[in-house]
Amino acid sequence: MKDHTPVSEIGERSLISRLSGMLNCGCDPEVRIGAGGDDCAVIDISEEEYMVITTDMLHRKTDFPVQMTPWQIGWMSAAVNLSDVASMGARPVGFLSAMGFSKETDISFVEDISKGMDDCARFCGTSVIGGDIDTHDELTITGTALGKVKKSELLTRKGAKVGDVVCVTGFAGSAGAALHAIENGIDIPDSLLDKLLTPIPRIMDGMALAHSGAVTCMMDTSDGLAMSLYDLADLNEVGFRIDEDALPIQPEVSQYITSDETTLTELALYTGGDFELLFTVSPDMLEAAQSVCYLNVIGVVVERELGTGITCRNGQNLTINRKGYLQLGD
Amino acid sequence: MKDHTPVSEIGERSLISRLSGMLNCGCDPEVRIGAGGDDCAVIDISEEEYMVITTDMLHRKTDFPVQMTPWQIGWMSAAVNLSDVASMGARPVGFLSAMGFSKETDISFVEDISKGMDDCARFCGTSVIGGDIDTHDELTITGTALGKVKKSELLTRKGAKVGDVVCVTGFAGSAGAALHAIENGIDIPDSLLDKLLTPIPRIMDGMALAHSGAVTCMMDTSDGLAMSLYDLADLNEVGFRIDEDALPIQPEVSQYITSDETTLTELALYTGGDFELLFTVSPDMLEAAQSVCYLNVIGVVVERELGTGITCRNGQNLTINRKGYLQLGD
């Protein structure tokens, strides 16, 4: 029977899971991880290596703040995809873009976008290897990124065990804080604005962590820390205990935006766009992970029944809400 | 200096070539063919094989006739990409889609699209292995298809030699004729309508031709026969002499749409959407090609100076115009 419910009523995560359930990739022996399973799909390509592939559609209204230059739009379109490659521990080996723009668009605008993509791809050790252009009322860019990884070093979302240490790279909430500043006319330094407008995919960190053998599971924080924790919690059937004091807040956020501790914690947990790596490490391997990557230990993996919560500065334990940056109005 | 000319003034082919020229993929040793070079990008993945990758953005207004069902929209989105994989002689190993639709869209509509994609992918021996969903005013679908091919069997657009025979699979102009029928309220049988609404990527033919070793260059005819001939002519620095009498016109086109020979020839040359394979074969290998694939010999490769023309039924030689189905109003 046809289901005429509007997609907005079931939300992004449920729709993805419903669509993935319809597909038949499970029967293909070359597909190691298929739709809905991880940050990237994974295909067997040789005895030693997997290819990882991801695609992401961005468009003017919801993904590119008006302050973004065309170069930054290009950079962002590549970065969101290359971040997914990073989260599998893979080395990028190509980026493709399909771009739709109106016929009246300046050539220079399109060239600047392409330059931004190429600069981001090159920064990540790869290049723009293909694409498509299309006419479209609203600027729309779909990127596709590819990576290679040794079979023994592939990192996935699955593998967290109770007792593992929870880590993130970089800061949490910086992109969300910068967006808040823009929307409220607050002047902020470039060091913060850049986190929103030109995020750095954590390629080197992802590869180094994969090589270290220390990581039990990994994903990126593009939809926000809370949402990512819940994704890992559901998949691994575990809970998380996060330490509020350990959340890595960029000093500029408390300096320019707010010094209110509750607001800082909410920015760190519930805003997206950071593109940092969130991962778990077996305690005896923490030193190995620390020796290859600047990381912040923010909590531990706990039993499923204990849920996903935060231990506040006053010692109180609160539940973390299942919310973050999602399409379709979750 | 910034170029503020609108993109519509330089056209799709020139813009692609200009953007490709800016990119740096040439310096990456793993990239065998990069942006703008062929139907797919080509990456080295092992001693024996290449991976081919292509991406294509389609959207409601210009790519999906209103008669299309959601299942057909899904099929088409996969088919256009898988056809590019076919034209490299490769075996598909995965399809990804990024879909943008409004929040009010029925779940069933999105499910039917996904089903159409999956059915097309499975028909081609692969599956939908990943994707993204996004909110968007206008229905927009970007597909990405991957394929593997033995290094010795990779077919590219480059390789045509003077004296080679020019061949196509299937019919020319069927999709264009069907679109004309729809736009003019002419009733046509499903055997013709299907050519427009559910094109079949020529995967088996592409792979068989690649394996035969008979083909000197190949591409698909998605932008129309004339445009594809010019693409091959420019790249290979040759001309083409096409035989009007040899153009493979589907009987239903002359039966239901027009029996006027000039119009039939124009449909065959200048309308897109057929997704057939256009390829050249060295004359001594023609039999080898014919033994693995139903093909139509439509002409020969000639010296560059002779241009790209057609020998009409009355013996007259006419130049084929450089036009077809293109975005950006070429």
Side-chain angles (χ1 to χ4, degrees), chain A residues 46-222:
Chain A
S46 69
E47 259 182 51
E48 303 79 32
E49 288 184 311
Y50 290 124
M51 178 81 85
V52 304
I53 313 109
T54 184
T55 187
D56 233 323
M57 181 182 282
L58 303 180
H59 62 285
R60 180 85 254 184
K61 276 185 220 161
T62 57
D63 297 298
F64 306 129
V66 288
Q67 289 75 5
M68 266 193 170
T69 64
W71 183 90
Q72 287 169 333
I73 287 175
W75 178 283
M76 173 66 86
S77 308
V80 299
N81 285 288
L82 289 161
S83 174
D84 283 331
V85 169
S87 73
M88 311 297 288
R91 177 175 60 85
V93 295
F95 176 75
L96 294 89
S97 81
M99 258 195 279
F101 39 76
S102 79
K103 291 184 183 189
E104 293 74 39
T105 309
D106 278 10
I107 291 176
S108 68
F109 185 89
V110 178
E111 285 184 333
D112 287 350
I113 290 179
S114 300
K115 184 78 171 56
M117 279 176 192
D118 197 45
D119 286 346
C120 182
R122 288 176 73 197
F123 179 86
C124 295
T126 186
S127 53
V128 179
I129 62 168
D132 179 36
I133 53 174
D134 189 38
T135 52
H136 215 298
D137 293 339
E138 187 186 0
L139 176 67
T140 307
I141 303 177
T142 306
T144 299
L146 301 143
K148 283 185 193 172
V149 60
K150 269 195 197 169
K151 287 188 176 178
S152 58
E153 296 186 2
L154 178 73
L155 295 179
T156 71
R157 292 185 180 183
K158 210 162 160 63
K161 278 173 199 60
V162 173
D164 282 357
V165 177
V166 182
C167 311
V168 284
T169 57
F171 300 112
S174 288
L179 185 62
H180 169 85
I182 283 182
E183 286 171 354
N184 293 279
I186 303 168
D187 253 348
I188 51 172
D190 285 350
S191 53
L192 181 52
L193 198 57
D194 287 351
K195 300 285 181 189
L196 174 70
L197 302 180
T198 51
I200 305 285
R202 292 286 186 182
I203 300 293
M204 297 307 286
D205 290 320
M207 287 169 62
L209 288 167
H211 190 64
S212 76
V215 172
T216 52
C217 83
M218 185 150 87
M219 72 180 292
D220 80 0
T221 62
S222 50

Side-chain angles (χ1 to χ4, degrees), chain A residues 18 28 34 92 101 116 122 130 153 182 199 248 251 254 272 295 310 314 318-319:
Chain A
R18 200 158 153 168
D28 189 339
F101 39 76
R122 288 176 73 197
E153 296 186 2
I182 283 182
S254 38
L295 58 83
I310 187 162
N314 61 11
L318 295 178
T319 298

Side-chain angles (χ1 to χ4, degrees), chain A residues 314-330:
Chain A
N314 61 11
Q316 206 185 355
N317 284 327
L318 295 178
T319 298
I320 292 177
N321 296 316
R322 188 190 282 265
K323 67 176 189 183
Y325 177 78
L326 287 180
Q327 299 283 339
L328 302 179
D330 297 55

Side-chain angles (χ1 to χ4, degrees), chain B residues 19 21 42 50-51 72 90 151 166 179 184 198-199 216 222 224 253 256 261 275 286 290 296 298 302:
Chain B
L19 297 179
V42 180
Y50 289 124
M51 178 79 86
Q72 287 170 332
K151 288 189 174 175
V166 182
L179 186 62
N184 292 278
T198 51
T216 52
S222 51
V253 176
Y256 289 86
E261 291 189 343
F275 301 101
L286 183 57
Q290 280 168 325
N296 306 288
I298 60 167
V302 298

Side-chain angles (χ1 to χ4, degrees), chain A residues 220-232:
Chain A
D220 80 0
T221 62
S222 50
D223 292 336
L225 194 52
M227 209 61 225
S228 304
L229 286 170
Y230 272 101
D231 283 337
L232 294 183

Side-chain angles (χ1 to χ4, degrees), chain B residues 72-122:
Chain B
Q72 287 170 332
I73 287 174
W75 178 283
M76 173 65 87
S77 308
V80 300
N81 285 288
L82 289 161
S83 174
D84 283 331
V85 170
S87 73
M88 312 297 287
R91 176 175 60 85
V93 295
F95 176 74
L96 293 90
S97 81
M99 259 195 276
F101 39 77
S102 79
K103 290 185 184 186
E104 292 74 39
T105 309
D106 279 8
I107 291 177
S108 68
F109 185 90
V110 178
E111 285 184 332
D112 287 351
I113 290 179
S114 299
K115 184 78 171 59
M117 279 177 191
D118 197 46
D119 285 346
C120 182
R122 288 177 73 196

